[in-house]
Amino acid sequence: MTNWTRKALLLAVSAAAAAGTLTAVGAPVAHSRPAGPAASPLAWGPCAPIPGTPVPAGQQCATIRVPLDYRAPGGRTVEVAVTRLRTDRPEARRGTLLALAGGPGGSGVQRLAQKGEALRAATEGAYDLVSLDPRGVGGSTRAGCGIPEADRHLVTLRSWPAADGSITENAERSRRTAMACARDGGPVVRSFSTRNQVRDIDRLRAALGERKLSVWGHSYGSYVAAGYAQEHPDRVDRLVLDSTGDPDPARVGYGWMANVGPAVALRFPDFAAWAADPAREAEGLRLARRAEDVQPLFLALARELDREPKESDVPGVPLTGNRLRQALHGSLNSDTGFAPLARLIRSAGDPQGRPVLPPELAGALPDEDASLTMAVICNDVRWPGPDSGYARRVAADRARYPLTAGLPANITPCSFWKHDEEPRPTRITDEGPSNVLMIQSLRDPATPLAGALKMRAALGERARMVTVGQGGHGMYLGSGNACGDRAVSDFLVTGKRPGRDTHCPN
């Protein structure tokens, strides 16, 4: 048993004796003494405008320079954009809370603009709030591979099989993308990885002058947060993992994709029940009289659009079967996506209708965004090679999970990727302080409960888990579940967790 484990068990026992069913994690003290040599102070200033997202008054931005390659710390550097929103109750401050966005590809600067004021209120001013744009994202150093525009649409960047289930075109496109990144991506693209994001976070911690950070990681950000806590257990105060994927270091991104089929299948009945509810009649969005009829209707419409794509509101970008399937996948993350999805389905099935495409499907992604999304999951771990039986696995997955049509099992550029160094994903273990709270919905379409339970098992007595009895992706301050929000806020403010894994009903 390690010293960390002994300390965690002693803390759990003493807190249980003092508080019954609650475990106190970490005394309410500030962590303002830096660990390691002092870093140059950050030059904070106003944040640049964020399209579609108002920046809260008081949110500030800065940049830090970090090594491009941590094997050569004195060599070339890249910029990482960072942001903060200071507590509005300095007398209540206990430390700094780092909010990590999802993705790969999510902007922490934007996430803090979206969630900062709610998070500051929920945590009663106990923290200065900070975040960062990972290298390759937003205001940080960016780079692209020169991926052709036709390959940068979401439905081509993601490997949706052809209408007949064949993957020949997917394999050729994946090879083309990987070769472009090997040829033109350069060392910056090759540096986009979870391991480097963990290293960059520790540079940010030092620049802030903090001995410890508390961390709230969402989606992919929860994997980054868990990796940081594993690598630097003495530098994490309180850790919240929100909507978490399977941390198996042999699979990582490959495993996350494989989980999408069953995750969507589990979540779709929520949409079907909503779309068959008589209350939708007045809104013009009722798709069927019975919930069980919604999936056959959707699948039939997708097949029809496979055969004959329909002109959309975007010239030259028709609504295809795969664009409809991709719209479904994105819409299931939150119940707020149900109405736009139903509207799209209704207009697609109307001979006189012209479907309005969701913004993410209306055009190609910028080269830098497309390259970053691929690079992180490919740099992190070796995926099965191109001759490892993808066609067979796609056919089986397509039959078992028709809503995702074989996408989760399909070949990607990662199967052809060229690595500078052998990937070494961090193995998450139960070695470390008992300071982790997980929150997870029962029917998450992106990071399903089954994967989160593997993270829970890996963490052992370091963690407690709160499950929320609803569907959707991203629970804390995103689901409207007061019980789940309260459990996380209480932990961040007081350090108290449930004494055992617990459940919040919808």
Side-chain angles (χ1 to χ4, degrees), residues 96-243:
T96 294
L97 173 61
L98 172 69
L100 293 177
S107 163
V109 175
Q110 182 178 43
R111 184 156 181 82
L112 193 60
Q114 293 168 334
K115 297 288 187 180
E117 290 183 325
L119 181 58
R120 190 163 60 176
T123 56
E124 301 174 11
Y127 297 95
D128 289 338
L129 308 176
V130 300
S131 194
L132 78 165
D133 285 351
R135 57 176 76 188
V137 176
S140 297
T141 296
R142 289 158 64 80
C145 299
I147 302 171
E149 181 178 353
D151 294 347
R152 289 189 272 111
H153 287 259
L154 202 50
V155 291
T156 51
L157 191 64
R158 303 193 78 191
S159 289
W160 288 98
D164 62 358
S166 66
I167 68 167
T168 303
E169 187 177 354
N170 299 133
E172 175 53 31
R173 184 182 298 114
S174 294
R175 184 198 63 78
R176 188 164 62 233
T177 299
M179 294 306 102
C181 287
R183 182 183 64 247
D184 300 323
V188 176
V189 167
R190 291 193 288 275
S191 81
F192 297 157
S193 68
T194 300
R195 184 171 289 274
N196 275 338
Q197 188 178 163
V198 164
R199 291 161 170 157
D200 294 347
I201 287 169
D202 206 50
R203 289 295 179 107
L204 171 60
R205 177 202 55 76
L208 291 167
E210 296 285 8
R211 176 170 290 275
K212 291 187 178 186
L213 296 173
S214 290
V215 188
W216 167 35
H218 161 258
S219 191
Y220 165 70
S222 68
Y223 173 69
V224 178
Y228 183 73
Q230 189 70 44
E231 295 291 329
H232 303 289
D234 58 331
R235 298 178 186 176
V236 175
D237 181 18
R238 295 167 184 169
L239 177 61
V240 174
L241 305 182
D242 182 352
S243 304

Side-chain angles (χ1 to χ4, degrees), residues 256-266 329 397 400-404 408 445:
W256 300 339
M257 277 301 301
N259 285 340
V260 166
V264 169
L266 193 62
H329 190 202
D397 201 70
R400 188 173 185 184
Y401 304 111
L403 289 167
T404 46

